[in-house]
Amino acid sequence: MDTKHRILNEALTLFSEKGYANVYVSDIAEKVGIKAPSLYKHYKSKRAIFDAIIEEMNSKFSEQAKALSVNGTSAGADAELYKNMSEEHLLKLGREFFLFFLHDDYNRKFRKMLTIEQFGNPELAETYMNMYVDMPLSYQGMLLGMLVQSGFLKTDNVQVMTLHFYAPIYMLLTVCDRDPSREEETLKLLDEHIKQFNRVYGRTKE
Amino acid sequence: MDTKHRILNEALTLFSEKGYANVYVSDIAEKVGIKAPSLYKHYKSKRAIFDAIIEEMNSKFSEQAKALSVNGTSAGADAELYKNMSEEHLLKLGREFFLFFLHDDYNRKFRKMLTIEQFGNPELAETYMNMYVDMPLSYQGMLLGMLVQSGFLKTDNVQVMTLHFYAPIYMLLTVCDRDPSREEETLKLLDEHIKQFNRVYGRTKE
DNA sequence: TTGACAGGCTAATTGCGATTAGCCTATAAT
DNA sequence: ATTATAGGCTAATCGCAATTAGCCTGTCAA
């Protein structure tokens, strides 16, 4: 990886741990293995490094969004997938979602950084909300909607059902972000959550 | 209110909006209506102001906790309260909890400040988690547990049921913190959440 | 009525962290 | 071969924000 990208990565790591203002350009430089002034051969200022991270992030994010909405449009194909769902599948769905967000390095760091910086910057607040609230709700709403169609789940209100599915995932995610040592405990709770969700919304014999 | 407390309040407001590092002592001074150096007649450093906020906060918090656990202990009395619960009552419970956390000025600012500062400071992360995850879960778990006892709700797993009750409240709260203009929309969703919660966990004729 | 704080102010001082200047070397194209 | 450029370094510089020095006034207890 070239220096320019290494700078971005190390900076993201540091920003996510301490916040923009508490990271010195010399910290970033040190992690990269160069001296602070050399950074300026690659970026015009500290702010520019931050902005580059955001930009990179936005493009990754919109790729993802595009990919999702493509699948969403070809609902026919996806519906097949969700036609004969089992509790196992549902567990897997929630767990994968959770673990992806939790462990994917880039996501994790980016999420932390956003959490710290969002209040000073309305755009970042919007990004955060898109990534961790609105998008997941609409994506999962779509999936769960299919499961209702296919008769695997039953509800009058898909939106609220989706909230019931996702909000605990979100909350447990924020717990792990703050205290990684609670991951195990949290994963158990996550499984129980999904099982109970299924018990409660699953179309048992009627 | 004396200057010393005004400093604390203004500082909290600013910290909650921009984060510790982005607030200058001169900003605080200006809000208070004095000059920066005069602050030092009251606090020995900027950090000391922050620490004083935390300390004040901790003592308020432990008062609250004590009060709650007192009620918790005198479960007999509280149980009475929750014996003949209606959906209206349940709605009120959730709504009050939500609105208290959302609107109480001190709580709101403190929560934002913690959100920003928590990652640099493990103690703060712990405080955050106590206040917004563990305490509410255990308190509401107790209440909902009573409702199960009294037959108003039905479940095999009070812990997960409580998660299902609280996680959406928590998530919607974080939405409003980030974008107050979504409060109305969010309150509607909150009500629907609780109604559906009741539909799903309520002991209907069996 | 005086003298010791309390609490405010202006004018330094300090220190640190971002950025710039200017130099050096290796590579790579002409 | 030579020259331009990319990318690194050291040694300033610059600017700003925290803090200190030191003065002034009003109050209140002795």
Side-chain angles (χ1 to χ4, degrees), chain A residues 36-47:
Chain A
S38 305
L39 284 182
Y40 291 80
K41 300 288 181 174
H42 303 276
Y43 295 94
K44 132 175 165 303
S45 67
K46 182 184 176 187
R47 196 79 218 171

Side-chain angles (χ1 to χ4, degrees), chain A residues 118 157 164 178 192-193, chain B residues 118 157 164 178 192-193:
Chain A
Q118 64 188 320
N157 188 332
H164 284 176
R178 274 164 197 118
E192 288 180 54
H193 150 56
Chain B
Q118 65 187 320
N157 188 332
H164 285 176
R178 276 166 195 117
E192 289 181 53
H193 150 55

Side-chain angles (χ1 to χ4, degrees), chain A residues 16-18 20-22 111-113 115-120 125 128-129 132-134 137 155-161 163-164 166-172 174-179 182 185 189-190 192-194 196-197 199-201, chain B residues 16-18 20-22 111-113 115-120 125 128-129 132-134 137 155-161 163-164 166-172 174-179 182 185 189-190 192-194 196-197 199-201:
Chain A
S16 76
E17 286 163 357
K18 317 204 271 178
Y20 179 82
N22 298 310
R111 185 172 59 248
K112 282 185 163 196
M113 191 178 87
T115 302
I116 300 172
E117 304 299 337
Q118 64 188 320
F119 289 113
Y128 180 96
M129 213 114 78
Y132 302 110
V133 178
D134 299 315
L137 279 180
T155 184
D156 295 337
N157 188 332
V158 174
Q159 190 190 19
V160 172
M161 180 179 78
L163 184 67
H164 284 176
Y166 179 62
I169 294 178
Y170 173 78
M171 185 168 137
L172 294 173
T174 73
V175 169
C176 287
D177 276 346
R178 274 164 197 118
D179 184 355
R182 292 177 70 169
E185 157 208 351
L189 202 49
L190 178 72
E192 288 180 54
H193 150 56
I194 297 177
Q196 187 143 330
F197 175 87
R199 221 172 295 141
V200 140
Y201 283 105
Chain B
S16 76
E17 286 164 358
K18 316 205 274 178
Y20 179 82
N22 299 310
R111 185 173 59 250
K112 281 186 165 197
M113 191 178 87
T115 302
I116 300 172
E117 303 300 336
Q118 65 187 320
F119 290 113
Y128 180 96
M129 214 115 77
Y132 302 109
V133 178
D134 297 316
L137 280 180
T155 184
D156 295 337
N157 188 332
V158 174
Q159 189 190 20
V160 171
M161 181 179 77
L163 185 66
H164 285 176
Y166 179 62
I169 294 177
Y170 173 78
M171 186 169 135
L172 293 174
T174 73
V175 169
C176 288
D177 276 347
R178 276 166 195 117
D179 183 356
R182 291 177 71 168
E185 157 208 352
L189 202 49
L190 178 72
E192 289 181 53
H193 150 55
I194 297 178
Q196 186 142 332
F197 175 87
R199 221 171 296 140
V200 140
Y201 282 107

Side-chain angles (χ1 to χ4, degrees), chain B residues 1 41 71 118 168 188-189:
Chain B
M1 189 163 35
K41 299 289 180 176
N71 286 356
Q118 65 187 320
K188 268 186 211 149
L189 202 49

Side-chain angles (χ1 to χ4, degrees), chain B residues 39-79:
Chain B
L39 284 181
Y40 291 80
K41 299 289 180 176
H42 303 276
Y43 295 94
K44 131 176 165 301
S45 67
K46 181 183 175 188
R47 196 79 217 170
I49 297 175
F50 184 82
D51 292 343
I53 293 174
I54 299 293
E55 200 182 340
E56 190 194 20
M57 195 297 131
N58 274 332
S59 68
K60 282 201 191 187
F61 170 63
S62 61
E63 268 173 44
Q64 246 183 18
K66 210 177 294 173
L68 284 183
S69 84
V70 165
N71 286 356
T73 311
S74 68
D78 282 2

